[in-house]
Amino acid sequence: MPNLENLKKQAKQYLRWHRDQYYPVAAEIRAALPRFRDLDDHAILTAEFKLADAQELVARQSGFDSWQVLKSGALTMTKQSKPATPLPVLQSTAAQLFVADIGAACDFFTEKLGFAVDFVYGDPPFYGQVIRDNARLALRLVCEPVFVGDIRQREHLLSASIALDTANDIKQLYLGYQSAGVSFHQALRTEPWGARTFIVLDPDGNLILFAGPAD
């Protein structure tokens, strides 16, 4: 069982997700808390959801009937157990995009999307990475089509998803890309679960989702 501090942080994260109307959390709430069992995603995300509800959610996911019972179990296990080696912490993730020309791809991401080249590797280059703030996109050279026809556009198959913190950020980024002549697979819109999203189409057919809160 995770220690009590981690469980508290997990409950607060669920509370933030519900407040931000992050739709995947609705399924977890519905599965764990009986009073939400018959509600759809929208009803769950607009219903009152307090820290106590989030704590109960964490408790039930851990196999306990209530937060109080979980706390008692966690404290007992903490007192009885020996100090454990800390688990490895994952610091970041990078999506990998397949491109036909590393140089051309780097030019697109730097000149159009405001990224910077982190590195390119090979002579001629066959691998590279571009970064902007905490977003990293790895670029992998491929000499043959990886996908059949226009299946990515038809099925809306994303190559990467990038999150922004505020409604103003997502709006300003979209307007900036629009002014730069970027091609969009999907214009800026509000999703049913409350997020604001748009999808960029790069020269190699990769779909890159940008998402932020609606307000």
Side-chain angles (χ1 to χ4, degrees):
M1 177 191 293
N3 65 44
L4 188 57
E5 288 305 311
N6 286 340
L7 295 171
K8 290 178 179 178
K9 291 178 182 177
Q10 187 177 346
K12 290 178 180 177
Q13 179 65 70
Y14 279 126
L15 185 64
R16 284 193 294 271
W17 279 341
H18 181 273
R19 181 194 61 203
D20 295 340
Q21 296 193 329
Y22 177 58
Y23 83 99
V25 79
E28 296 192 53
I29 294 173
R30 181 168 47 248
L33 301 181
R35 60 187 171 280
F36 293 96
R37 195 155 293 163
D38 297 325
L39 302 181
D40 61 21
D41 289 356
H42 178 72
I44 291 173
L45 293 176
T46 55
E48 184 178 30
F49 189 79
K50 300 179 179 179
L51 179 60
D53 298 309
Q55 291 173 337
E56 183 184 350
L57 172 61
V58 171
R60 288 180 176 273
Q61 288 179 330
S62 302
F64 295 88
D65 291 333
S66 69
W67 177 252
Q68 189 60 44
V69 175
L70 180 147
K71 282 176 59 179
S72 299
L75 289 172
T76 299
M77 292 183 67
T78 300
K79 291 176 181 178
Q80 293 176 348
S81 62
K82 297 179 180 180
T85 302
L87 293 175
V89 176
L90 305 182
Q91 294 291 352
S92 65
T93 183
Q96 181 160 279
L97 279 58
F98 301 121
V99 302
D101 184 316
I102 294 292
C106 288
D107 289 344
F108 170 77
F109 282 100
T110 56
E111 296 172 8
K112 296 289 189 179
L113 301 191
F115 281 72
V117 175
D118 188 21
F119 68 86
V120 292
Y121 183 78
D123 185 16
F126 64 86
Y127 196 76
Q129 181 169 272
V130 293
I131 60 172
R132 176 169 174 173
D133 303 319
N134 294 318
R136 294 174 173 82
L137 298 175
L139 308 175
R140 177 68 166 84
L141 178 69
V142 291
C143 298
E144 298 179 0
V146 177
F147 298 91
V148 177
D150 64 346
I151 189 171
R152 284 182 289 180
Q153 285 74 37
R154 287 188 287 107
E155 298 295 333
H156 315 294
L157 302 180
L158 299 176
S159 296
S161 298
I162 299 173
L164 291 92
D165 286 336
T166 70
N168 185 62
D169 285 345
I170 188 72
K171 179 180 178 181
Q172 292 303 316
L173 189 67
Y174 176 75
L175 293 176
Y177 286 172
Q178 196 175 49
S179 298
V182 172
S183 295
F184 295 99
H185 173 71
Q186 174 206 297
L188 183 64
R189 73 183 188 191
T190 301
E191 302 292 355
W193 52 89
R196 293 274 281 172
T197 70
F198 66 87
I199 301 174
V200 165
L201 175 65
D202 82 353
D204 291 285
N206 294 297
L207 301 183
I208 305 166
L209 171 76
F210 293 86
D215 50 34

